[in-house]
Amino acid sequence: IVAGRASTAKGDDAKAPADISRIVGRAASATDADIEAAYASALDYQPHWNAIGGAKRADILEAMANAMDHDTDRLIAILAREGGKTLDDCIAEVREAVDFCRYYAVEAEAKFKGLEALPGPAGETNCLELMGRGVFVCISPWNFPLAIFTGQIAAALAAGNSVLAKPAEQTPLIAALAVGLMREAGVPETALQLLPGDGSVGAALTRDARVQGVAFTGATETALLIRRAMADHLDPTAPLIAETGGLNAMIVDSTALPEQAVRDILASSFQSAGQRCSALRCLYLQEDVAKPITEMLFGAMDDLQPGDPWDLATDTGPVIDAEAQGTIRAHVDAARAEGRVLKELPAPATGTFTGPTVIAVPGIAAMAREIFGPVLHVATFKARDLGRVIDAINATGYGLTFGLHSRIDDRVQEVMERLRAGNAYVNRNQIGAVVGSQPFG
């Protein structure tokens, strides 16, 4: 959708992960001509969008929130069908998208309030420093195709930038609906362009010298490629805001309440079919309590219901596509061949499902990369080795989320002071950062 005009190309089929024989829509990839037209439109309008002021932009962002509120049912339907999300996750995602719009509306009004009215050159300089840079490229992931897509765009628009939005190639339909709602709310056609497609579209967008900033959520490897392209082609001051993968750990010591720990392990590992960058990947159990907690965890897993995300009884839906399914299955198969699979649930035969699985590992250092699905790795530790466990977690190079279950206050304090992670959770699950309370990307 460039300058308000949608492509009439037939496009490619979008299929439901829960039933890949089902076509849920079609999407046309942006061409080079589309990208060039989008740049021209965004560059031409950005000074006007910048000049309308923070208060007016805040009003439009509030209207975006209201528009999504009013169209919640349709948003939920597409999230479930195209993204394979359970209904609980769909509802939470719509709420998060709405929260992003309202959060950045408040930020826009607060940051720019009164600055436009400051007299003289000093006031003008302050305005320019705090307002839009120019054209921002926003590249969002498929696992939160509405919330993160909306959050990136809302932030960039709030600051006075025009936006070129590139949704994940697996989830263009929800992005198209979201852009339509944003337009209805008052976002000018030339301030926001939608450019769906595969990685080649994102690569073309992020190496163009006219870009003044990039927001990206996705794989770490892709973020590094974007950073390299920006260094080669963009203004050195153009920011890259990147939120990438996680190799997230949780430590459960012998004082933890087992029922509470198991509840939170289950949610952190298997909700959203494990397809959250904040999901629990490596669980450390103090060996004194490892046996009863794993027995309780396996029993709780038996109550999980994989299946069609449109069914209210479903706890875990499919993974996003056949490529993701193949990667996860290969990892589980390799662990099974080594006798390390401790628990595995059967998966539905239709669609791109993988059953929730628990695999034994000696520690987080044995995990070379993030497995983005419903796979939990479990290690044990002796109480005296807690410091070594924290050192191993810090040494991975990841620092997204962390969980700790303990009822010893001094231990909580010690672990939190030594740990290097962006969001750390004590005695609760470690997914679902709250807009306005916890910075996430």
mmCIF file of all heavy atoms in Angstrom, residues 344-380:
data_model
loop_
_atom_site.group_PDB
_atom_site.id
_atom_site.type_symbol
_atom_site.label_atom_id
_atom_site.label_comp_id
_atom_site.label_asym_id
_atom_site.label_seq_id
_atom_site.Cartn_x
_atom_site.Cartn_y
_atom_site.Cartn_z
ATOM 1 N N GLU A 344 7.850 -35.905 25.815
ATOM 2 C CA GLU A 344 7.431 -35.379 24.511
ATOM 3 C C GLU A 344 5.950 -35.671 24.323
ATOM 4 O O GLU A 344 5.501 -36.802 24.502
ATOM 5 C CB GLU A 344 8.251 -36.029 23.400
ATOM 6 C CG GLU A 344 7.961 -35.482 22.021
ATOM 7 C CD GLU A 344 8.862 -36.088 20.962
ATOM 8 O OE1 GLU A 344 9.563 -37.089 21.263
ATOM 9 O OE2 GLU A 344 8.858 -35.577 19.826
ATOM 10 N N LEU A 345 5.189 -34.640 23.978
ATOM 11 C CA LEU A 345 3.769 -34.821 23.716
ATOM 12 C C LEU A 345 3.537 -35.034 22.229
ATOM 13 O O LEU A 345 4.241 -34.456 21.385
ATOM 14 C CB LEU A 345 2.978 -33.597 24.176
ATOM 15 C CG LEU A 345 2.993 -33.263 25.665
ATOM 16 C CD1 LEU A 345 2.054 -32.094 25.944
ATOM 17 C CD2 LEU A 345 2.629 -34.465 26.516
ATOM 18 N N PRO A 346 2.559 -35.852 21.856
ATOM 19 C CA PRO A 346 2.253 -36.025 20.429
ATOM 20 C C PRO A 346 1.697 -34.729 19.849
ATOM 21 O O PRO A 346 1.077 -33.919 20.545
ATOM 22 C CB PRO A 346 1.199 -37.136 20.428
ATOM 23 C CG PRO A 346 0.586 -37.089 21.794
ATOM 24 C CD PRO A 346 1.674 -36.644 22.724
ATOM 25 N N ALA A 347 1.916 -34.540 18.557
ATOM 26 C CA ALA A 347 1.435 -33.349 17.867
ATOM 27 C C ALA A 347 0.336 -33.736 16.880
ATOM 28 O O ALA A 347 0.354 -34.827 16.314
ATOM 29 C CB ALA A 347 2.583 -32.682 17.111
ATOM 30 N N PRO A 348 -0.643 -32.856 16.658
ATOM 31 C CA PRO A 348 -1.663 -33.127 15.636
ATOM 32 C C PRO A 348 -1.021 -33.388 14.276
ATOM 33 O O PRO A 348 0.026 -32.811 13.935
ATOM 34 C CB PRO A 348 -2.493 -31.843 15.634
ATOM 35 C CG PRO A 348 -2.305 -31.265 16.994
ATOM 36 C CD PRO A 348 -0.893 -31.593 17.372
ATOM 37 N N ALA A 349 -1.650 -34.233 13.506
ATOM 38 C CA ALA A 349 -1.072 -34.638 12.217
ATOM 39 C C ALA A 349 -1.203 -33.561 11.157
ATOM 40 O O ALA A 349 -0.383 -33.462 10.241
ATOM 41 C CB ALA A 349 -1.733 -35.926 11.740
ATOM 42 N N THR A 350 -2.242 -32.733 11.238
ATOM 43 C CA THR A 350 -2.431 -31.678 10.245
ATOM 44 C C THR A 350 -1.728 -30.411 10.696
ATOM 45 O O THR A 350 -1.544 -30.174 11.889
ATOM 46 C CB THR A 350 -3.927 -31.365 10.067
ATOM 47 O OG1 THR A 350 -4.467 -30.932 11.324
ATOM 48 C CG2 THR A 350 -4.685 -32.581 9.580
ATOM 49 N N GLY A 351 -1.324 -29.602 9.744
ATOM 50 C CA GLY A 351 -0.707 -28.329 10.088
ATOM 51 C C GLY A 351 0.738 -28.472 10.525
ATOM 52 O O GLY A 351 1.325 -29.553 10.496
ATOM 53 N N THR A 352 1.309 -27.350 10.946
ATOM 54 C CA THR A 352 2.732 -27.307 11.301
ATOM 55 C C THR A 352 2.912 -27.358 12.821
ATOM 56 O O THR A 352 3.463 -26.444 13.431
ATOM 57 C CB THR A 352 3.385 -26.043 10.708
ATOM 58 O OG1 THR A 352 2.640 -24.882 11.132
ATOM 59 C CG2 THR A 352 3.387 -26.088 9.198
ATOM 60 N N PHE A 353 2.445 -28.449 13.405
ATOM 61 C CA PHE A 353 2.519 -28.611 14.856
ATOM 62 C C PHE A 353 3.794 -29.334 15.262
ATOM 63 O O PHE A 353 4.295 -30.198 14.543
ATOM 64 C CB PHE A 353 1.324 -29.419 15.358
ATOM 65 C CG PHE A 353 0.017 -28.694 15.319
ATOM 66 C CD1 PHE A 353 -0.774 -28.717 14.173
ATOM 67 C CD2 PHE A 353 -0.423 -27.978 16.418
ATOM 68 C CE1 PHE A 353 -1.989 -28.049 14.135
ATOM 69 C CE2 PHE A 353 -1.633 -27.306 16.383
ATOM 70 C CZ PHE A 353 -2.426 -27.345 15.241
ATOM 71 N N THR A 354 4.306 -28.985 16.431
ATOM 72 C CA THR A 354 5.330 -29.783 17.108
ATOM 73 C C THR A 354 4.901 -29.913 18.563
ATOM 74 O O THR A 354 4.471 -28.933 19.181
ATOM 75 C CB THR A 354 6.734 -29.132 17.040
ATOM 76 O OG1 THR A 354 6.701 -27.882 17.730
ATOM 77 C CG2 THR A 354 7.164 -28.904 15.608
ATOM 78 N N GLY A 355 5.010 -31.113 19.115
ATOM 79 C CA GLY A 355 4.560 -31.345 20.477
ATOM 80 C C GLY A 355 5.505 -30.743 21.504
ATOM 81 O O GLY A 355 6.733 -30.755 21.306
ATOM 82 N N PRO A 356 4.988 -30.187 22.601
ATOM 83 C CA PRO A 356 5.850 -29.703 23.674
ATOM 84 C C PRO A 356 6.809 -30.798 24.134
ATOM 85 O O PRO A 356 6.409 -31.945 24.338
ATOM 86 C CB PRO A 356 4.849 -29.324 24.779
ATOM 87 C CG PRO A 356 3.596 -28.962 24.027
ATOM 88 C CD PRO A 356 3.553 -29.916 22.873
ATOM 89 N N THR A 357 8.076 -30.419 24.292
ATOM 90 C CA THR A 357 9.143 -31.399 24.532
ATOM 91 C C THR A 357 10.103 -30.874 25.585
ATOM 92 O O THR A 357 10.393 -29.682 25.638
ATOM 93 C CB THR A 357 9.916 -31.675 23.223
ATOM 94 O OG1 THR A 357 8.995 -32.111 22.206
ATOM 95 C CG2 THR A 357 10.983 -32.733 23.426
ATOM 96 N N VAL A 358 10.623 -31.792 26.419
ATOM 97 C CA VAL A 358 11.650 -31.462 27.412
ATOM 98 C C VAL A 358 12.893 -32.288 27.104
ATOM 99 O O VAL A 358 12.815 -33.504 26.920
ATOM 100 C CB VAL A 358 11.162 -31.748 28.844
ATOM 101 C CG1 VAL A 358 12.264 -31.414 29.855
ATOM 102 C CG2 VAL A 358 9.899 -30.955 29.151
ATOM 103 N N ILE A 359 14.036 -31.610 27.072
ATOM 104 C CA ILE A 359 15.310 -32.243 26.716
ATOM 105 C C ILE A 359 16.328 -31.974 27.819
ATOM 106 O O ILE A 359 16.429 -30.852 28.332
ATOM 107 C CB ILE A 359 15.838 -31.674 25.374
ATOM 108 C CG1 ILE A 359 14.900 -32.074 24.224
ATOM 109 C CG2 ILE A 359 17.258 -32.132 25.096
ATOM 110 C CD1 ILE A 359 15.255 -31.424 22.902
ATOM 111 N N ALA A 360 17.114 -32.978 28.184
ATOM 112 C CA ALA A 360 18.164 -32.821 29.189
ATOM 113 C C ALA A 360 19.415 -32.211 28.555
ATOM 114 O O ALA A 360 19.808 -32.589 27.445
ATOM 115 C CB ALA A 360 18.510 -34.171 29.803
ATOM 116 N N VAL A 361 20.031 -31.273 29.256
ATOM 117 C CA VAL A 361 21.313 -30.686 28.846
ATOM 118 C C VAL A 361 22.194 -30.546 30.078
ATOM 119 O O VAL A 361 21.693 -30.434 31.203
ATOM 120 C CB VAL A 361 21.142 -29.305 28.170
ATOM 121 C CG1 VAL A 361 20.478 -29.421 26.813
ATOM 122 C CG2 VAL A 361 20.383 -28.337 29.077
ATOM 123 N N PRO A 362 23.522 -30.539 29.900
ATOM 124 C CA PRO A 362 24.406 -30.329 31.062
ATOM 125 C C PRO A 362 24.370 -28.885 31.557
ATOM 126 O O PRO A 362 24.719 -28.610 32.705
ATOM 127 C CB PRO A 362 25.787 -30.699 30.521
ATOM 128 C CG PRO A 362 25.680 -30.538 29.037
ATOM 129 C CD PRO A 362 24.270 -30.881 28.685
ATOM 130 N N GLY A 363 23.976 -27.958 30.694
ATOM 131 C CA GLY A 363 23.917 -26.546 31.067
ATOM 132 C C GLY A 363 23.670 -25.702 29.836
ATOM 133 O O GLY A 363 23.632 -26.194 28.701
ATOM 134 N N ILE A 364 23.506 -24.410 30.034
ATOM 135 C CA ILE A 364 23.158 -23.514 28.933
ATOM 136 C C ILE A 364 24.278 -23.407 27.910
ATOM 137 O O ILE A 364 24.035 -23.115 26.735
ATOM 138 C CB ILE A 364 22.766 -22.127 29.480
ATOM 139 C CG1 ILE A 364 21.930 -21.355 28.447
ATOM 140 C CG2 ILE A 364 23.993 -21.333 29.937
ATOM 141 C CD1 ILE A 364 21.240 -20.133 29.003
ATOM 142 N N ALA A 365 25.513 -23.654 28.323
ATOM 143 C CA ALA A 365 26.637 -23.589 27.389
ATOM 144 C C ALA A 365 26.530 -24.633 26.294
ATOM 145 O O ALA A 365 27.127 -24.479 25.217
ATOM 146 C CB ALA A 365 27.958 -23.755 28.145
ATOM 147 N N ALA A 366 25.769 -25.692 26.539
ATOM 148 C CA ALA A 366 25.599 -26.739 25.534
ATOM 149 C C ALA A 366 24.605 -26.353 24.454
ATOM 150 O O ALA A 366 24.455 -27.064 23.454
ATOM 151 C CB ALA A 366 25.147 -28.032 26.207
ATOM 152 N N MET A 367 23.905 -25.235 24.632
ATOM 153 C CA MET A 367 22.904 -24.793 23.666
ATOM 154 C C MET A 367 23.539 -23.764 22.737
ATOM 155 O O MET A 367 23.760 -22.604 23.118
ATOM 156 C CB MET A 367 21.700 -24.202 24.402
ATOM 157 C CG MET A 367 21.020 -25.216 25.314
ATOM 158 S SD MET A 367 19.788 -24.469 26.400
ATOM 159 C CE MET A 367 18.620 -23.836 25.191
ATOM 160 N N ALA A 368 23.813 -24.188 21.519
ATOM 161 C CA ALA A 368 24.534 -23.315 20.590
ATOM 162 C C ALA A 368 23.670 -22.179 20.066
ATOM 163 O O ALA A 368 24.182 -21.130 19.666
ATOM 164 C CB ALA A 368 25.071 -24.151 19.422
ATOM 165 N N ARG A 369 22.356 -22.377 20.053
ATOM 166 C CA ARG A 369 21.480 -21.361 19.465
ATOM 167 C C ARG A 369 20.083 -21.499 20.061
ATOM 168 O O ARG A 369 19.764 -22.478 20.737
ATOM 169 C CB ARG A 369 21.407 -21.519 17.944
ATOM 170 C CG ARG A 369 20.899 -22.870 17.488
ATOM 171 C CD ARG A 369 21.105 -23.111 16.002
ATOM 172 N NE ARG A 369 20.763 -24.470 15.630
ATOM 173 C CZ ARG A 369 19.554 -24.872 15.262
ATOM 174 N NH1 ARG A 369 18.561 -23.994 15.241
ATOM 175 N NH2 ARG A 369 19.318 -26.115 14.918
ATOM 176 N N GLU A 370 19.272 -20.501 19.777
ATOM 177 C CA GLU A 370 17.891 -20.504 20.233
ATOM 178 C C GLU A 370 17.043 -21.449 19.378
ATOM 179 O O GLU A 370 17.126 -21.409 18.148
ATOM 180 C CB GLU A 370 17.343 -19.081 20.126
ATOM 181 C CG GLU A 370 15.889 -18.922 20.511
ATOM 182 C CD GLU A 370 15.387 -17.501 20.271
ATOM 183 O OE1 GLU A 370 15.861 -16.851 19.323
ATOM 184 O OE2 GLU A 370 14.512 -17.060 21.025
ATOM 185 N N ILE A 371 16.275 -22.310 20.015
ATOM 186 C CA ILE A 371 15.295 -23.140 19.319
ATOM 187 C C ILE A 371 13.935 -22.494 19.560
ATOM 188 O O ILE A 371 13.417 -22.501 20.673
ATOM 189 C CB ILE A 371 15.315 -24.595 19.822
ATOM 190 C CG1 ILE A 371 16.684 -25.224 19.545
ATOM 191 C CG2 ILE A 371 14.209 -25.410 19.158
ATOM 192 C CD1 ILE A 371 17.064 -25.288 18.067
ATOM 193 N N PHE A 372 13.358 -21.935 18.492
ATOM 194 C CA PHE A 372 12.186 -21.070 18.634
ATOM 195 C C PHE A 372 10.913 -21.900 18.514
ATOM 196 O O PHE A 372 10.253 -21.926 17.478
ATOM 197 C CB PHE A 372 12.231 -19.978 17.561
ATOM 198 C CG PHE A 372 11.510 -18.719 17.961
ATOM 199 C CD1 PHE A 372 12.048 -17.871 18.911
ATOM 200 C CD2 PHE A 372 10.295 -18.382 17.390
ATOM 201 C CE1 PHE A 372 11.401 -16.710 19.275
ATOM 202 C CE2 PHE A 372 9.630 -17.231 17.749
ATOM 203 C CZ PHE A 372 10.183 -16.392 18.699
ATOM 204 N N GLY A 373 10.579 -22.575 19.600
ATOM 205 C CA GLY A 373 9.405 -23.424 19.600
ATOM 206 C C GLY A 373 9.182 -24.011 20.975
ATOM 207 O O GLY A 373 9.856 -23.646 21.949
ATOM 208 N N PRO A 374 8.239 -24.965 21.112
ATOM 209 C CA PRO A 374 7.874 -25.506 22.421
ATOM 210 C C PRO A 374 8.845 -26.568 22.917
ATOM 211 O O PRO A 374 8.484 -27.729 23.129
ATOM 212 C CB PRO A 374 6.483 -26.087 22.162
ATOM 213 C CG PRO A 374 6.534 -26.526 20.726
ATOM 214 C CD PRO A 374 7.398 -25.516 20.023
ATOM 215 N N VAL A 375 10.103 -26.167 23.105
ATOM 216 C CA VAL A 375 11.148 -27.093 23.542
ATOM 217 C C VAL A 375 11.835 -26.494 24.767
ATOM 218 O O VAL A 375 12.375 -25.384 24.706
ATOM 219 C CB VAL A 375 12.191 -27.347 22.434
ATOM 220 C CG1 VAL A 375 13.266 -28.314 22.930
ATOM 221 C CG2 VAL A 375 11.518 -27.890 21.171
ATOM 222 N N LEU A 376 11.809 -27.219 25.873
ATOM 223 C CA LEU A 376 12.445 -26.793 27.112
ATOM 224 C C LEU A 376 13.661 -27.671 27.379
ATOM 225 O O LEU A 376 13.576 -28.896 27.308
ATOM 226 C CB LEU A 376 11.461 -26.904 28.279
ATOM 227 C CG LEU A 376 12.022 -26.646 29.678
ATOM 228 C CD1 LEU A 376 12.507 -25.214 29.822
ATOM 229 C CD2 LEU A 376 10.986 -26.978 30.750
ATOM 230 N N HIS A 377 14.787 -27.054 27.704
ATOM 231 C CA HIS A 377 16.007 -27.770 28.057
ATOM 232 C C HIS A 377 16.198 -27.667 29.567
ATOM 233 O O HIS A 377 16.034 -26.580 30.144
ATOM 234 C CB HIS A 377 17.209 -27.167 27.330
ATOM 235 C CG HIS A 377 17.037 -27.134 25.836
ATOM 236 N ND1 HIS A 377 16.297 -26.156 25.204
ATOM 237 C CD2 HIS A 377 17.482 -27.968 24.857
ATOM 238 C CE1 HIS A 377 16.304 -26.384 23.899
ATOM 239 N NE2 HIS A 377 17.007 -27.481 23.669
ATOM 240 N N VAL A 378 16.546 -28.788 30.204
ATOM 241 C CA VAL A 378 16.625 -28.837 31.663
ATOM 242 C C VAL A 378 18.011 -29.292 32.097
ATOM 243 O O VAL A 378 18.548 -30.279 31.580
ATOM 244 C CB VAL A 378 15.550 -29.787 32.246
ATOM 245 C CG1 VAL A 378 15.713 -29.895 33.761
ATOM 246 C CG2 VAL A 378 14.154 -29.280 31.908
ATOM 247 N N ALA A 379 18.567 -28.546 33.061
ATOM 248 C CA ALA A 379 19.846 -28.895 33.674
ATOM 249 C C ALA A 379 19.679 -28.854 35.186
ATOM 250 O O ALA A 379 18.762 -28.203 35.705
ATOM 251 C CB ALA A 379 20.935 -27.921 33.244
ATOM 252 N N THR A 380 20.551 -29.537 35.899
ATOM 253 C CA THR A 380 20.531 -29.487 37.364
ATOM 254 C C THR A 380 21.828 -28.850 37.866
ATOM 255 O O THR A 380 22.837 -28.804 37.157
ATOM 256 C CB THR A 380 20.372 -30.882 37.979
ATOM 257 O OG1 THR A 380 21.479 -31.699 37.574
ATOM 258 C CG2 THR A 380 19.072 -31.521 37.529
#
